[in-house]
Amino acid sequence: MTQPDTTSQAEVGAAYFRLFNEIGIIAQLSRTLLEARLPKGIILPHFSVLNHLIRVRDGRTLMELASAFQVPKTSMTHTVGGLEKAGFVTVQPNPADKRSKCVFITSEGRTLAAGAVTALGPDVAELAQDFPLERVQAMLPQLEALRTIMDAKRG
Amino acid sequence: MTQPDTTSQAEVGAAYFRLFNEIGIIAQLSRTLLEARLPKGIILPHFSVLNHLIRVRDGRTLMELASAFQVPKTSMTHTVGGLEKAGFVTVQPNPADKRSKCVFITSEGRTLAAGAVTALGPDVAELAQDFPLERVQAMLPQLEALRTIMDAKRG
DNA sequence: CTTGTTTGGTCCGATATCGAATTATATAGT
DNA sequence: ACTATATAATTCGATATCGGACCAAACAAG
């Protein structure tokens, strides 16, 4: 009996599908929201990388960044290239491994990220009126757990 | 006192940012997972549209589809064009409004979507071992609420 | 030390995405 | 009815994304 209770296999699949569908749409919405507050030409992946460098640590390699965001390394090369050309990061060879490069955020990069966070303040405040912080805090552990599990399956 | 309790403004923003960051990564992971089971050349947006036509109803217009997934209409034109060329949908003029067109799924389209769902069965089952259905069911209403609220703000 | 394999990164070509401008139809205001 | 505005969709150009091929350094095995 691999189907012990009243929930059919198809219904189970449908629930997971709805989950990922909702997540996909929210990702899309939040992306649009953020990009409306970023300078022209700077998009979500740029901001995400800058923020990662600030939050986690400076000097991550391209591969570390790519796996942190679960994107192909070619995409990360392109994203970092754009940030470098715009002067928001510098890229330096890794003395510990000559194959790899380390990405450092510049003060311009920090300014950009901080400015975006500030610009988003009112949007967050407005959202918090309808979807309060407690609900976010309740969801976060669940999402983190799901992310970790999925990460592990396709490491 | 717009800052009544112990949680600072910055910390509040950080929580929402982490929320959207997790959601973005999960969206990315689920996309990769799905596309691994789809025929070459068919990607998430294609599948999403087919599924929407099945779940919600046949004959939606391009704008309805675009707003359902919160993507620009130009992107939806492109996506539906690909589906049409591949024979998974047909597009017909809308008799009620000559500006718009209605998208209908073909039997090939239904077959494709059903096949993908079947192919994903084992993946879902495996995921369900580590992240069981109850947790999904607990999260879904929260995500739907958040999606609805964000939808409303940027309708 | 050599050879085979793995790993970090880039380059290239194909497709996806999206904003701006355009066309055609619909709707509103007078 | 007539003009103004709004809406559905497409086209076009610019950029993003990604898979495959490639190169160079690291590492493993003999």
Side-chain angles (χ1 to χ4, degrees):
Chain A
M1 304 301 175
T2 54
Q3 191 181 312
D5 60 44
T6 57
T7 309
S8 79
Q9 188 78 342
E11 287 168 33
V12 174
Y16 284 85
F17 181 83
R18 277 174 55 205
L19 174 75
F20 292 128
N21 192 39
E22 293 295 336
I23 285 176
I25 294 172
I26 293 170
Q28 181 72 32
L29 283 161
S30 65
R31 177 177 188 148
T32 303
L33 203 66
L34 170 67
E35 291 181 350
R37 304 293 182 214
L38 288 175
K40 174 122 176 173
I42 302 298
I43 59 179
L44 172 66
H46 299 131
F47 178 76
S48 298
V49 166
L50 291 181
N51 235 68
H52 188 83
L53 292 175
I54 292 171
R55 279 196 321 150
V56 178
R57 178 172 293 280
D58 235 339
R60 298 303 89 199
T61 68
L62 290 178
M63 274 308 291
E64 284 172 326
L65 293 171
S67 72
F69 296 107
Q70 292 293 319
V71 298
K73 55 188 177 177
T74 56
S75 304
M76 191 51 67
T77 295
H78 183 81
T79 299
V80 169
L83 284 170
E84 187 182 21
K85 185 150 52 179
F88 297 124
V89 302
T90 61
V91 180
Q92 294 171 13
N94 182 358
D97 184 340
K98 291 179 185 171
R99 290 170 303 180
S100 66
K101 300 177 176 177
C102 299
V103 184
F104 296 89
I105 189 168
T106 64
S107 60
E108 290 89 343
R110 289 182 192 276
T111 302
L112 175 70
V117 170
T118 301
L120 279 168
D123 297 298
V124 171
E126 189 187 341
L127 177 58
Q129 287 189 338
D130 290 326
F131 198 86
L133 180 61
E134 307 86 56
R135 294 180 79 172
V136 174
Q137 288 170 332
M139 289 182 70
L140 261 174
Q142 301 296 318
L143 288 167
E144 282 168 0
L146 178 57
R147 198 254 300 198
T148 302
I149 288 164
M150 294 178 73
D151 252 352
K153 294 206 181 297
R154 294 257 161 179
Chain B
M1 305 300 174
T2 53
Q3 191 181 312
D5 60 45
T6 57
T7 309
S8 80
Q9 188 79 343
E11 287 168 34
V12 173
Y16 285 84
F17 181 83
R18 276 174 56 207
L19 175 74
F20 292 129
N21 193 37
E22 294 294 336
I23 285 176
I25 293 172
I26 294 169
Q28 181 73 30
L29 284 162
S30 65
R31 177 176 187 147
T32 303
L33 202 66
L34 170 67
E35 291 181 350
R37 304 292 182 216
L38 288 175
K40 175 120 176 176
I42 302 299
I43 61 180
L44 172 66
H46 298 132
F47 178 76
S48 298
V49 167
L50 291 181
N51 235 67
H52 188 82
L53 292 175
I54 292 171
R55 279 197 319 152
V56 178
R57 178 172 292 279
D58 235 339
R60 298 303 88 198
T61 68
L62 290 179
M63 272 309 290
E64 284 172 326
L65 293 172
S67 72
F69 296 107
Q70 292 294 318
V71 297
K73 54 189 176 178
T74 56
S75 304
M76 192 52 66
T77 295
H78 183 81
T79 299
V80 169
L83 284 171
E84 187 183 21
K85 184 150 50 178
F88 297 124
V89 301
T90 61
V91 181
Q92 295 170 14
N94 182 359
D97 184 340
K98 291 179 185 172
R99 291 170 303 180
S100 67
K101 299 178 176 177
C102 300
V103 183
F104 297 89
I105 189 169
T106 65
S107 60
E108 289 89 342
R110 290 182 191 276
T111 301
L112 175 70
V117 170
T118 301
L120 279 168
D123 297 299
V124 171
E126 189 187 341
L127 178 58
Q129 287 190 339
D130 290 325
F131 198 85
L133 180 62
E134 306 85 57
R135 296 180 78 173
V136 174
Q137 288 170 332
M139 288 182 70
L140 261 173
Q142 301 297 317
L143 287 167
E144 281 168 0
L146 178 57
R147 198 255 300 199
T148 302
I149 287 164
M150 294 179 73
D151 252 352
K153 294 206 181 297
R154 294 258 159 179

